[in-house]
């Protein structure tokens, strides 16, 4: 049962959308299984650029089943607008199914996300403000509203009223805001329910039926390992599990169906939002990477923080997600940037060099990156289609990164388009 889990192996925005679209050709099913519209996945098809927040990046193939699974938190207005936009651009969305168990982002989630961020002051996480954390909190707290609740107005009304009793107390008493009105929310969300009804399904059943038929399933992760709630740089993380294991809980499949775990990494590192980032460059080099790489958020437009490739992070990602392959993205951005630095460890004030990512936030805050340097190259690589045709220094850089990560780089990207992808190894069986 060949399923591939494709995940971000840094702090998000590694190029997951591009690689999902690239691999979707060889799959029959593409599944988003965690996160929500905090994600922004870019797909470039000729002159058309698509930025998807909730729709799986397999949607451009009309014959693939695309699934938004139970682990996703879904903002119905955003999804419906995204689907309208796709259809207006000639993309069919009839092949989409949404789990009836997916939790719904409500207006109070978005509001609380913003109010809580403001209240954090200097300790801001830098969330995307989409209501992700508050929606997952209600899911865990067992007061969440699911897609299936939107389909029955009576059930929805009861759930909204229960929730507003608590949320309005928070809004008025803690944050000094006016209360929200149940009738308006019920009317708005039951209208979304009517529009989502044709897509709602038992998606775990659909996916497992396809797996049983021997079809190939591609699980498209959102965010990245270092933003994982359990394994990332807590509390500067998102509220879901971007690690590979998240695909099983987020989609209702067993781990035995997964035959490969593909970690997507940039040839350098970026992070958007606050939190530790050991190899961050606050100088000209960082600015050069940002400008050349177009490192501005797909979802919020914020400038992304940029830095050198961190092999400690790559090894950590390989461990916590059992990566079997890497997809190394944006190699073209490194042209003319050399000499290139790679972080191989973190030095602590007492001289100790760590080669494993420290769990202690205090230790991490004292860690200074230890770099090794490699020569760069100046040749344009965007037209290269075979690994052997890359400049020798670029090949050496890739080989060193995979050696340090301990995982082979099966795919290498030299530009945003589908065909700007070099294949070095087989991923699907
Ligand atoms: P995702 O969230 O992981 O899907 O990544 P984003 O779409 O947020 O950000 C990746 C950006 O890099 C997008 O603008 C892609 O079009 C672009 N991109 C992906 N791969 C490459 C590459 O190999 N080279 C270049 N120059 N751009 C790339
Ligand atoms: P894709 O799928 C990069 C970051 C936010 C913030 C933290 C928590 O495009 O890689 P949240 O709104 O989730 O509560 O914010 O997580 N973040 C992302 N950073 N790419 C993403 O998604 C992200 N989704 C959330 O910037 O630091
Ligand atoms: Mg993104």
């Amino acid at each position: 049962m060949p399923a591939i889990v494709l995940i971000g192996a840094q702090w998000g925005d590694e190029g997951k959308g591009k690689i999902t679209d690239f691999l979707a050709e060889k799959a029959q099913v593409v599944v988003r299984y965690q996160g929500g519209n905090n994600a922004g996945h870019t797909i470039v098809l000729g002159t058309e650029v698509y930025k998807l927040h909730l729709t799986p990046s397999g949607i451009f193939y009309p014959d693939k089943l695309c699934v938004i699974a139970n682990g996703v938190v879904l903002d119905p207005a955003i999804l419906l607008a995204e689907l309208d936009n796709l259809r207006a651009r000639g993309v069919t969305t009839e092949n989409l199914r949404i789990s009836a168990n997916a939790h719904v982002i409500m207006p109070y989630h978005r509001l609380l996300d913003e109010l809580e961020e403001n209240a954090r002051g200097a300790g801001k996480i830098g969330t995307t403000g989409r209501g992700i954390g508050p929606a997952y909190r209600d899911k865990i707290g067992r007061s969440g509203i699911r897609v299936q609740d939107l389909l029955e107005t009576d059930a929805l009304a009861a759930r909204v009223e229960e929730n507003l009793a608590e949320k309005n107390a928070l809004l008025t008493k803690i944050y000094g805001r006016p209360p929200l009105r149940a009738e308006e929310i019920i009317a708005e969300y039951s209208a979304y329910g009517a529009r989502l009804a044709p897509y709602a399904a038992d998606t775990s059943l659909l996916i497992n039926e396809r797996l049983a038929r021997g079809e190939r399933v591609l699980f498209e992760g959102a965010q990245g390992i270092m933003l994982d709630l359990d394994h990332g740089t807590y509390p500067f993380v998102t509220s879901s599990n971007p690690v590979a294991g998240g695909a099983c809980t987020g989609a209702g499949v067993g781990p035995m169906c997964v035959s490969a775990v593909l970690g997507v990494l940039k040839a350098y590192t970026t992070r958007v939002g606050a939190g530790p980032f050991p190899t961050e460059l606050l100088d000209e080099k960082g600015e050069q990477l940002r400008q050349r790489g177009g490192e501005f958020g797909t979802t919020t437009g914020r400038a992304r923080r940029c830095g050198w490739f961190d092999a400690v992070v790559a090894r950590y990602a390989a461990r916590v997600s059992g990566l079997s392959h890497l997809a190394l993205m944006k190699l073209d951005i490194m042209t003319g940037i050399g000499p290139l630095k790679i972080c191989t460890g973190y030095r602590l004030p007492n001289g100790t060099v760590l080669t494993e990512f420290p769990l202690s936030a205090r230790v991490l805050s004292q860690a200074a990156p230890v770099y090794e340097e490699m020569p760069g190259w100046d040749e344009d690589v965007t037209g290269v289609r075979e690994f052997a045709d890359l400049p020798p220094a670029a090949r050496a850089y890739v080989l060193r990164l995979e050696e340090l990560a301990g995982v082979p780089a099966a795919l290498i990207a030299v530009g945003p388009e589908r065909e700007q992808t070099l294949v070095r190894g087989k991923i699907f069986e």
Side-chain angles (χ1 to χ4, degrees), residues 226 278-279 309-319 342-346 353-358 364 369-370 404-405:
M226 301 311 280
T279 63
F309 187 90
D310 189 336
V312 181
V313 165
R315 258 197 316 274
Y316 180 72
R319 163 156 59 90
I342 307 171
C343 171
T344 55
Y346 301 150
V353 173
L354 303 177
T355 53
E356 296 295 336
F357 196 83
L364 186 58
V370 177
L404 286 168

Side-chain angles (χ1 to χ4, degrees), residues 118-289:
N118 290 337
R120 283 183 191 112
K124 264 189 189 27
I125 295 169
T127 72
T128 59
R130 302 300 193 258
I132 305 295
Y136 275 117
R137 185 166 65 212
D138 280 354
K139 170 179 174 171
I140 304 287
R142 295 164 291 184
S143 61
I145 294 178
R146 296 185 291 173
V147 166
Q148 57 178 286
D149 299 319
L150 303 186
L151 309 180
E152 292 171 36
T153 308
D154 288 351
L156 176 65
R159 297 298 274 167
V160 169
E161 272 156 20
E162 273 162 33
N163 272 281
L164 281 189
E166 184 210 13
K167 306 303 182 208
N168 277 339
L170 268 176
L171 289 173
T172 56
K173 293 185 186 149
I174 307 273
Y175 295 108
R177 291 294 177 111
L180 297 176
R181 289 159 57 93
E183 315 81 73
E184 284 168 17
I185 297 178
I186 296 161
E188 181 187 347
Y189 277 71
S190 54
Y192 296 145
R195 289 194 61 197
L196 291 176
Y199 300 101
D202 179 345
T203 54
S204 162
L205 181 63
L206 290 181
I207 298 167
N208 280 285
E209 281 172 354
R210 298 295 193 109
L211 284 167
R213 277 193 247 152
E215 292 190 12
R216 289 166 167 174
V217 178
L218 183 55
F219 291 100
E220 175 184 9
Q223 289 80 51
I225 281 170
M226 301 311 280
L227 289 170
D228 186 276
L229 183 58
D230 287 78
H231 300 284
T233 48
Y234 191 91
F236 301 98
V237 294
T238 191
S239 297
S240 68
N241 286 116
V243 293
C248 292
T249 49
V253 297
M256 296 297 282
C257 72
V258 178
S259 58
V261 182
L262 177 65
V264 186
L265 304 105
K266 281 178 198 170
Y268 51 102
T269 312
T270 65
R271 169 162 207 173
V272 55
F277 180 0
T279 63
E280 181 169 18
L281 289 166
L282 296 165
D283 57 6
E284 286 278 293
K285 261 307 182 227
E287 190 53 33
Q288 210 182 344
L289 284 171

Side-chain angles (χ1 to χ4, degrees), residues 58 102 117 289 318 372:
E117 270 288 88
L289 284 171
E372 67 179 41

Side-chain angles (χ1 to χ4, degrees), residues 16-209:
K16 297 177 294 292
K18 169 184 156 136
I19 292 298
T20 303
D21 167 72
F22 176 79
L23 288 175
E25 191 196 347
K26 295 198 164 64
Q28 284 77 43
V29 185
V30 183
V31 183
R32 266 287 308 269
Y33 58 87
Q34 48 71 230
N37 59 309
N38 47 351
H41 294 184
T42 314
I43 293 100
V44 180
L45 300 172
T47 56
E48 295 293 306
V49 179
Y50 297 91
K51 293 179 186 298
L52 302 178
H53 300 291
L54 279 163
T55 313
S57 302
I59 200 73
F60 304 101
Y61 302 87
D63 57 327
K64 315 293 178 189
L65 173 66
C66 286
V67 172
I68 297 178
N70 57 279
V72 168
V73 285
L74 186 144
D75 189 325
I78 301 288
L79 176 67
L80 290 165
E82 188 161 292
L83 297 179
D84 286 343
N85 183 269
L86 284 168
R87 279 191 294 266
R89 297 174 72 177
V91 179
T92 180
T93 58
E94 276 170 32
N95 46 331
L96 178 70
R97 292 295 173 271
I98 300 169
S99 169
N101 279 355
H103 280 250
V104 176
I105 297 180
M106 303 299 289
Y108 44 81
H109 293 139
R110 288 190 301 264
L111 206 51
L112 287 170
D113 194 356
E114 182 196 323
L115 294 168
E116 287 167 12
E117 270 288 88
N118 290 337
R120 283 183 191 112
K124 264 189 189 27
I125 295 169
T127 72
T128 59
R130 302 300 193 258
I132 305 295
Y136 275 117
R137 185 166 65 212
D138 280 354
K139 170 179 174 171
I140 304 287
R142 295 164 291 184
S143 61
I145 294 178
R146 296 185 291 173
V147 166
Q148 57 178 286
D149 299 319
L150 303 186
L151 309 180
E152 292 171 36
T153 308
D154 288 351
L156 176 65
R159 297 298 274 167
V160 169
E161 272 156 20
E162 273 162 33
N163 272 281
L164 281 189
E166 184 210 13
K167 306 303 182 208
N168 277 339
L170 268 176
L171 289 173
T172 56
K173 293 185 186 149
I174 307 273
Y175 295 108
R177 291 294 177 111
L180 297 176
R181 289 159 57 93
E183 315 81 73
E184 284 168 17
I185 297 178
I186 296 161
E188 181 187 347
Y189 277 71
S190 54
Y192 296 145
R195 289 194 61 197
L196 291 176
Y199 300 101
D202 179 345
T203 54
S204 162
L205 181 63
L206 290 181
I207 298 167
N208 280 285
E209 281 172 354

Side-chain angles (χ1 to χ4, degrees), residues 8 12-18 39-44 49 51 57 220-221 223 264 266 292-299 304 328-333 382 412-417 420:
D13 301 326
E14 298 90 349
K16 297 177 294 292
K18 169 184 156 136
H41 294 184
T42 314
I43 293 100
V44 180
V49 179
K51 293 179 186 298
S57 302
E220 175 184 9
Q223 289 80 51
V264 186
K266 281 178 198 170
R292 290 191 46 122
E295 297 297 352
F296 298 90
T298 311
T299 297
R304 294 175 182 151
L328 197 61
M329 313 301 289
K330 293 197 149 182
L331 190 64
D332 54 305
I333 303 303
T382 56
I412 294 150
V414 292
E417 300 207 30
Q420 289 177 301

